[in-house]
Amino acid sequence: MADQSIPEARTPETTEAEAPAAAAREGISRRRLLGTAGATGLVLGTAGAAVGYAAAPSEAAAPLTSLGTDRAMFHGKHQPGITDGLQARGHLVAFDLAAGAGRKEAAALLRRWSETARRLMAGEPSAHDDTGVARDAGPSSLTLTFGFGHSFFARTGLEKQRPTALDPLPEFSSDRIDKNRSNGDLWVQIGANDALVAFHALRAIQKDAGRAARVRWQMNGFNRSPGATAHPMTARNLMGQIDGTRNPKPEEADFDQRIFVPDKGEPAWMANGSYAVVRRIRMLLDDWEKLSVKAQEDVIGRRKSDGAALSGGTETTAMDLEKTDAEGNPVVPINAHARITRPDQNGGAAMLRRPFSFHDGIDADGVPDAGLLFICWQADPLRGFVPVQRKLDRGDALSPFIRHESSGLFAVPGGAAEGEYVGQKLLEG
């Protein structure tokens, strides 16, 4: 019964032998329909055509589910990929300008990238030599986000426009940074809820770079797929912990102040932009998984089952830092990760975390090369990421179980208006 399809109306010309093929062409199975409804509550789309990639007249394409039709907008006050929900697939890629390329070539490249982003985010093919990889899919919440590294400004003769907030991050004692997988002139973040849609965008961006820029490093990540849980919930990381409970929320009154450069901020070209800190953080999962659940919870300061603070309540209940046990010890350990990272323990420092998990295979000694592609957004990293990381560096209980292996800081300008490209105010101002 579970595999039974929704009954299909048959015309008198349809024979019993032809009925299964007709159903396959025209129908949506009961299992597929119910699975989609359970994940999203509705099925959207128009039979016969996917968004942007029209079906051939002879095809009888099933409508896209809402997962495929979900679309983020390219043009806007801020770039996409910052406040959008976590996506199932992600690619991070940094480029260095080619020898001899300067401001003119960089402007042409950002113009090409912006047009490609606009088209792909709308579910359309790229303008030139589209590979067809995403032909059968809709936009799938695709976002492309572009940023500039510290070195970009010297390469383009724009040193006077380089923000102070883009000064290199300080070194931390727990860092094991691979410089070949860090920084870069240009940075692109790609996210989508379909793996092929995300890869299609990555390939298009790489091809658009042409001779103007070459890839410096590239990383792939993932999150839980939308609809995989009975109801929307905070993501889990590869340690099994609920991760992101205290993220600032757009509805909070001071959200923009914490995350985005103000309209009249400095430099002017960064108005409505943000700064992204990108860190590849390897999780030492073999060591972590040797701990009991109670020991893991003490390291984090929250219950593993539901993310609630060890002081009690639910995931969103405020953590009681003063609560003690029968022996007078803090219920939330002094060096617990969640205690140390609280904004009220760091002078109000706040950042919007929007990470992807990664798994890049198994080492020769059988250890998984896995962890977190940490991405955090803030109006000023000197008031956001840096003070928190300095405090973590001094005594975070989580430090023995993670290793920071690469790092980058990028200035991400505000969104492009209709007819503009990302970074135009910098490159043509």
Side-chain angles (χ1 to χ4, degrees), residues 149-392:
H150 184 275
S151 56
F152 176 82
F153 296 84
R155 300 291 304 275
T156 54
L158 292 166
E159 294 97 329
K160 292 183 179 180
Q161 291 297 320
R162 183 169 56 213
T164 302
L166 202 58
D167 286 350
L169 297 173
E171 294 184 2
F172 303 100
S173 63
S174 59
D175 285 353
R176 301 292 183 271
I177 302 299
D178 178 357
K179 293 184 179 179
N180 292 325
R181 292 195 294 179
S182 299
N183 300 311
D185 294 341
L186 293 157
W187 175 70
V188 186
Q189 174 191 258
I190 298 168
N193 283 332
D194 179 80
L196 286 179
V197 169
F199 175 81
H200 179 239
L202 175 65
R203 185 73 179 114
I205 289 298
Q206 180 193 3
K207 290 172 68 177
D208 277 350
R211 297 181 179 180
R214 57 178 179 81
V215 173
R216 179 180 176 87
W217 55 260
Q218 195 263 311
M219 301 174 189
N220 309 311
F222 59 91
N223 285 305
R224 177 176 279 156
S225 297
T229 55
H231 56 83
M233 60 182 295
T234 310
R236 289 186 185 271
N237 60 36
L238 298 189
M239 288 179 162
Q241 302 292 144
I242 288 180
D243 192 347
T245 298
R246 290 188 58 83
N247 247 350
K249 296 175 176 55
E251 59 268 23
E252 295 172 356
D254 61 351
F255 179 84
D256 281 4
Q257 177 184 343
R258 293 180 170 191
I259 307 305
F260 294 110
V261 176
D263 285 335
K264 296 182 180 180
E266 293 293 336
W269 65 267
M270 272 296 291
N272 302 312
S274 188
Y275 292 90
V277 173
V278 182
R279 310 272 280 185
R280 185 184 193 270
I281 304 176
R282 185 165 179 174
M283 295 177 172
L284 308 181
L285 294 177
D286 283 358
D287 294 337
W288 175 256
E289 290 162 5
K290 290 175 183 176
L291 299 180
S292 67
V293 172
K294 174 63 168 62
Q296 291 177 355
E297 292 178 338
D298 283 343
V299 167
I300 301 299
R302 291 184 175 274
R303 292 200 298 257
K304 192 170 185 177
S305 61
D306 60 4
L310 296 184
S311 54
T314 67
E315 181 189 351
T316 57
T317 301
M319 183 178 290
D320 183 354
L321 300 182
E322 306 302 321
K323 189 173 182 178
T324 57
D325 60 19
E327 286 76 37
N329 299 312
V331 173
V332 180
I334 294 297
N335 62 348
H337 183 77
R339 176 191 281 265
I340 294 175
T341 57
R342 286 170 55 98
D344 59 7
Q345 301 296 300
N346 294 280
M351 48 196 168
L352 176 65
R353 300 173 68 260
R354 198 176 180 278
F356 293 96
S357 293
F358 74 86
H359 179 222
D360 291 337
I362 308 295
D363 285 354
D365 55 3
V367 176
D369 183 6
L372 196 70
L373 299 181
F374 175 90
I375 307 164
C376 70
W377 300 91
Q378 59 258 280
D380 184 350
L382 295 178
R383 293 187 290 109
F385 172 80
V386 171
V388 175
Q389 187 59 33
R390 277 181 172 151
K391 194 166 185 179
L392 289 171

Side-chain angles (χ1 to χ4, degrees), residues 92-129:
L92 308 180
V93 56
F95 293 82
D96 285 335
L97 291 173
R103 181 173 175 177
K104 178 182 177 181
E105 290 77 13
L109 174 57
L110 266 297
R111 189 179 295 109
R112 290 195 299 274
W113 275 353
S114 296
E115 176 61 12
T116 293
R118 183 193 66 77
R119 293 177 65 94
L120 297 188
M121 285 176 57
E124 302 172 7
S126 53
H128 304 288
D129 300 323

